[in-house]
Amino acid sequence: MSLFVSIEGFDGVGKTTQANLLNEHLSKEGIKSILVREPGGTIVAEKIREILITDSELSPITELLLFESARSDLVNKVIRKKLENNFVVITDRYLDSTLAYQGYGRDIDKSIVNELSKLSTSNLYPDITFLLDLNVEEANKRAGERKDINSKDQILKFENEENIFHQKIRKGFLEIAKNNNDRVNIIDASVDQNEISKLIIEKVSKKLNL
Ligand code: TYD
């Protein structure tokens, strides 16, 4: 049975750890699964990621279009195919990130962001989304600690923005969750990561009828 899972949230909330833990659990259970991250996951999308890492002068609109282009390539070349082959696809960020960062964070018209995301995914929405929520101070602290480890591969321009930008994104994510409460589960990211993982695994297992 296929299932499309997205893990969302602010920089430094522990999304990647949770995405990995879920993927490892499913593999152990003998369930076909794949983990992708946005932006990335195809040759084209990794090139776009490189542009986002290295060019500090992109306008918000250019950024938006780059994220959507990377997503379109990933959806077409990887996500759809894996879902057709009954995989569980776990994505570390997806279209909610674009609405939160480019819509709420960069103040681009949210209906335009939504239309572009519809277009780039051909209406492929996750079956279930986990929004890891944490207060901005704690998330920034964690993101700062992580920065030195593999900063070459990270898109740091958003992490380096001011606190008010981060507050806007957190508020955005919470609003998105409220407006899509049949899909989005808010998870308190301040608790132990094994506890969070257990919760995510429980919900995903239920969806898979395990
Ligand atoms: P990345 O280095 O992949 O780290 P992480 O996802 O673990 O935070 O950074 C991706 C950055 O790009 C992150 O700051 C969020 C931002 N982003 C957007 O602004 N819009 C998007 O549509 C996506 C997918 C990410």
Side-chain angles (χ1 to χ4, degrees), residues 9-202:
F10 204 64
D11 303 283
V13 295
K15 288 180 313 307
T16 308
T17 304
Q18 291 306 325
N20 278 314
L21 287 171
L22 176 61
N23 195 31
E24 281 162 23
H25 172 82
L26 293 173
S27 299
K28 269 194 220 135
E29 294 291 310
I31 293 161
K32 293 189 290 186
S33 67
I34 177 179
L35 172 60
V36 293
R37 67 159 177 194
E38 276 215 4
T42 66
I43 293 171
V44 171
E46 290 294 335
K47 282 185 181 163
I48 292 175
R49 181 181 184 85
E50 191 61 36
I51 295 169
L52 286 158
I53 290 172
T54 51
D55 193 324
S56 58
E57 288 170 10
L58 300 170
S59 77
I61 301 291
T62 310
E63 270 172 15
L64 167 66
L65 295 172
L66 287 173
F67 281 116
E68 296 291 4
S69 301
R71 175 165 308 134
S72 171
D73 203 55
L74 180 67
V75 168
N76 283 317
K77 291 183 181 152
V78 181
I79 297 179
R80 269 195 197 282
K81 289 190 179 140
K82 291 294 179 187
L83 290 173
E84 278 162 20
N85 285 307
N86 290 325
F87 273 70
V88 174
V89 177
I90 306 160
T91 182
D92 183 345
R93 296 195 184 281
Y94 197 55
L95 38 72
D96 297 325
S97 277
T98 318
L99 188 56
Y101 283 78
Q102 279 64 53
Y104 287 86
R106 294 284 199 230
D107 294 317
I108 300 174
D109 186 329
K110 294 177 192 59
S111 60
I112 293 178
V113 175
N114 279 331
E115 282 306 311
L116 284 173
S117 291
K118 252 191 194 171
L119 187 72
S120 69
T121 63
S122 324
N123 288 318
L124 181 68
Y125 290 88
D127 298 301
I128 186 163
T129 297
F130 296 98
L131 168 62
L132 302 187
D133 181 52
L134 192 61
N135 70 61
V136 168
E137 291 71 27
E138 180 62 23
N140 283 347
K141 203 175 123 218
R142 290 197 203 169
E145 285 161 7
R146 196 187 56 160
K147 238 181 231 173
D148 307 329
I149 304 168
N150 51 4
S151 61
K152 263 217 205 86
D153 186 45
Q154 285 180 277
I155 301 173
L156 294 174
K157 64 172 75 188
F158 302 101
E159 287 184 21
N160 293 336
E161 286 280 342
E162 290 181 8
N163 232 23
I164 179 104
F165 179 75
H166 296 151
Q167 299 284 6
K168 275 158 74 176
I169 292 168
R170 183 182 187 208
K171 179 176 160 264
F173 270 128
L174 289 171
E175 257 180 57
I176 293 167
K178 210 172 85 193
N179 295 337
N180 298 274
N181 60 8
D182 50 338
R183 169 173 68 84
V184 184
N185 296 267
I186 302 174
I187 295 198
D188 176 2
S190 69
V191 305
D192 178 68
Q193 64 181 34
N194 292 318
E195 285 300 308
I196 299 174
S197 180
K198 253 171 63 186
L199 220 118
I200 292 177
I201 287 169
E202 216 173 82

